Amino acid sequence: MTRTHAEWQAAAAALTFDGRPVIDGVRRAAASGRTIEKTNPATGEVLSQIHDCGPEEVDAAVAAARTAYESGAWSRAGAGFRRERLLELARLIEARADDFALYDSLDMGKPVRESSTVDAPGSAALYRFYAEAIEKTEDLIPVTPPGSTALVTREALGVVAVIVAWNYPLEIATWKLAPALAAGNAVVVKPPVEASHSALLLAELAVEAGIPAGILNVVPGRGSVVGKALALHEDVDMLAFTGSTEVAKQLQQYAGQSNMKRLALEAGGKSSNLIFADCDDLKLAAEKAAFGSFYNQGEVCSANSRIFVERSVSEEFLRLYAEAAAAYAPGDPLDPASGIGSLVSEAHADTVWATIENARRDGRIVAGGTRPEINGSRAFIEPTIVTDVPVDHEVHTREIFGPVAVVTPFDTEEEAIAHANGTPYGLAASLWTGSLARAHRVSSRLVAGTVSVNTVDALGFTTPFGGFKQSGFGRDLSVHALENYTDFKTTWMQWG
């Protein structure tokens, strides 16, 4: 049952916050005694004090993870045991779904309507997916010469570090944790300092679910301290990351400087959406374009923020797109009627607003272009549509991570493909056409990890998600994500 605005406000007022790390199954204070004040970006209200952890907490968490892994209480307990414990964790997430939803909404400004109906239940369902996958993965017995048998098994890597982005705090953590845990690893998570509370609650529930202490540890703190310490740590076997391309490149250097730990990096994006004149439903394409560019305040790595429209329908599309954008008007994140919430901080909103001002100077604002003050906060920005700017303008080239999209006409299919691929990123792309031949022809040439045809930003539990080029490597979701956290071992037996 969906709560009303007043009910969400009352639930938020009753929520408790604890910013201490969870190491070896228990809460403990950071040794430094320092904390980071966490405010609600939608109101400016202080929520809690996040403990400002450092290398001491990282060392303790990695040591706890190593001990737990080597004990075999999780890694060698058997697929059935891990399956049941992850299913119980999924049940506990569902039981606390409203708390998870509120933590993410209050921490980073997303509408609680979305975090309660998509993020929290989706995370529970993904733990179930990987719990069930544990007993459905198969090892191999390849062909070998007579008198020998070779077993090829997938083995857990050991201690996995996870660094999580703030735009989907619970969901992105789950994308990494569920397959890493299913494979038998022990994990240390560095949640985003902007949104740490859902990961900290998750670590407590893991112990309640019967997952051995030390298997899931959460160390909050600054990326330049905690993230760097994990990336350089000699006893971390693998690191999974979602965040900016700039940080992903730094993590590659840290891995090389330390123990050559394995990496799975889901980095930045600047995804395109191609609208051809033979699209069957231009109104639907415009509505989906608004979803693809403005959902979650545009703070989505795969947001379709570069929209290229065949010139003969470009003006009609712009009109329909502007109308569809009105459904994403910003408002109080705890109000189910709000189209979008606040950006993650006023400081981040400042950078997005600077881009809008540059676009206003250099082009034309078709819709939006305002920065309302709501609940005393300046972290809100109206969905903004820009046009009449060159393709080398920053609104085309830079990952803005806000509710800003640019529309540009094209004349030929070749031109559209060139525009779409004219970026260092390769995370996602969309195209709209009524021609099956064009759908196959264009999608085969788009350099993107996911190409959505006649929809936007399509993903599911069964399909891998990740990018090419500077959008990173490795895949989240699907059974293929297990490959990030395991590797092959060959056991050759000579008996003849």
Side-chain angles (χ1 to χ4, degrees):
M1 178 179 175
T2 303
R3 293 186 177 191
T4 65
H5 188 190
E7 288 171 336
W8 280 119
Q9 288 176 315
L15 198 63
T16 59
F17 297 86
D18 188 341
R20 294 175 298 165
V22 178
I23 298 174
D24 205 14
V26 297
R27 294 275 190 170
R28 54 179 280 182
S32 68
R34 294 189 300 269
T35 60
I36 303 167
E37 186 173 83
K38 180 66 193 81
T39 61
N40 179 348
T43 64
E45 174 191 6
V46 175
L47 295 173
S48 73
Q49 300 294 325
I50 301 296
H51 282 232
D52 193 6
C53 295
E56 183 172 340
E57 284 74 37
V58 169
D59 286 345
V62 172
R66 176 61 63 190
T67 298
Y69 176 76
E70 296 292 348
S71 76
W74 183 252
S75 59
R76 298 193 300 275
F81 176 80
R82 294 200 301 274
R83 172 183 178 274
E84 292 305 315
R85 301 284 64 75
L86 290 179
L87 289 176
E88 178 62 12
L89 179 59
R91 188 192 68 78
L92 292 173
I93 293 171
E94 287 179 330
R96 300 286 298 274
D98 284 355
D99 290 344
F100 279 111
L102 282 168
Y103 280 140
D104 282 359
S105 179
L106 297 172
D107 271 345
M108 56 76 59
K110 70 166 56 197
V112 74
R113 176 191 68 249
E114 293 163 6
S115 56
S116 63
T117 60
V118 179
D119 299 21
S123 296
L126 192 59
Y127 279 104
R128 285 201 176 90
F129 175 85
Y130 284 106
E132 297 294 349
I134 295 173
E135 293 181 320
K136 296 176 178 62
T137 55
E138 296 178 339
D139 295 325
L140 303 172
I141 303 179
V143 174
T144 54
S148 63
T149 300
L151 307 178
V152 179
T153 55
R154 275 206 168 271
E155 305 290 323
L157 297 177
V159 175
V160 172
V162 170
I163 300 177
V164 180
W166 48 257
N167 56 329
Y168 289 92
L170 176 63
E171 268 202 307
I172 293 178
T174 296
W175 285 16
K176 318 292 187 187
L177 286 170
L181 293 172
N185 296 284
V187 187
V188 179
V189 181
K190 194 216 87 67
V193 71
E194 298 88 350
S196 297
H197 294 105
S198 57
L200 291 166
L201 174 59
L202 185 68
E204 288 188 333
L205 295 188
V207 176
E208 187 178 340
I211 296 174
I215 292 297
L216 175 53
N217 309 272
V218 177
V219 182
R222 304 176 195 276
S224 59
V225 178
V226 176
K228 181 178 180 179
L230 284 170
L232 287 169
H233 207 289
E234 297 286 345
D235 206 24
V236 169
D237 300 298
M238 185 269 172
L239 188 152
F241 168 77
T242 292
S244 71
T245 294
E246 179 184 12
V247 174
K249 290 179 178 181
Q250 187 65 66
L251 295 175
Q252 285 185 295
Q253 294 183 43
Y254 290 153
Q257 291 168 16
S258 55
N259 61 342
M260 288 181 61
K261 57 180 60 64
R262 296 164 188 245
L263 299 171
L265 305 174
E266 199 265 276
K270 192 69 178 174
S271 301
S272 62
N273 187 359
L274 309 183
I275 315 292
F276 289 93
D278 62 3
C279 165
D280 291 332
D281 190 338
L282 199 62
K283 184 173 185 291
L284 177 62
E287 291 171 350
K288 287 289 190 178
F291 173 84
S293 52
F294 304 133
Y295 182 82
N296 204 52
Q297 304 75 244
E299 295 168 325
V300 182
C301 54
S302 55
N304 291 179
S305 58
R306 303 163 65 236
I307 303 173
F308 300 98
V309 189
E310 195 161 355
R311 195 174 301 276
S312 62
V313 296
S314 60
E315 287 303 316
E316 182 184 0
F317 175 83
L318 268 175
R319 177 182 62 79
L320 293 170
Y321 185 32
E323 291 175 359
Y328 295 86
D332 184 348
L334 296 184
D335 184 354
S338 296
I340 58 174
S342 77
L343 274 67
V344 71
S345 68
E346 289 195 11
H348 180 57
D350 287 343
T351 65
V352 174
W353 183 247
T355 300
I356 292 174
E357 292 289 66
N358 288 340
R360 193 192 312 275
R361 179 197 65 211
D362 300 330
R364 178 164 60 102
I365 302 293
V366 178
T370 66
R371 187 179 180 181
E373 183 173 317
I374 300 173
N375 296 331
S377 170
R378 295 276 291 160
F380 296 86
I381 290 182
E382 188 179 11
T384 300
I385 301 171
V386 178
T387 192
D388 297 342
V389 294
V391 293
D392 61 352
H393 193 277
E394 69 164 331
V395 77
H396 266 291
T397 60
R398 188 172 64 80
E399 186 179 29
I400 299 166
F401 231 61
V404 182
V406 57
V407 178
T408 304
F410 67 83
D411 294 301
T412 67
E413 184 178 294
E414 285 295 321
E415 182 186 3
I417 294 169
H419 284 326
N421 289 338
T423 168
Y425 302 108
L427 187 56
S430 297
L431 69 100
W432 292 77
T433 177
S435 165
L436 182 61
R438 171 171 277 156
H440 281 289
R441 187 170 60 243
V442 174
S443 62
S444 71
R445 294 184 59 191
L446 293 176
V447 182
T450 299
V451 177
S452 304
V453 180
N454 294 332
T455 187
V456 296
D457 208 15
L459 59 82
F461 291 172
T462 60
T463 54
F465 178 85
F468 295 107
K469 300 197 286 189
Q470 293 188 42
S471 287
F473 50 84
R475 292 295 184 263
D476 291 316
L477 301 175
S478 82
V479 293
H480 297 288
L482 293 167
E483 297 167 11
N484 293 335
Y485 308 102
T486 60
D487 209 348
F488 289 116
K489 174 191 285 185
T490 297
T491 303
W492 184 297
M493 292 177 284
Q494 196 72 33
W495 48 265

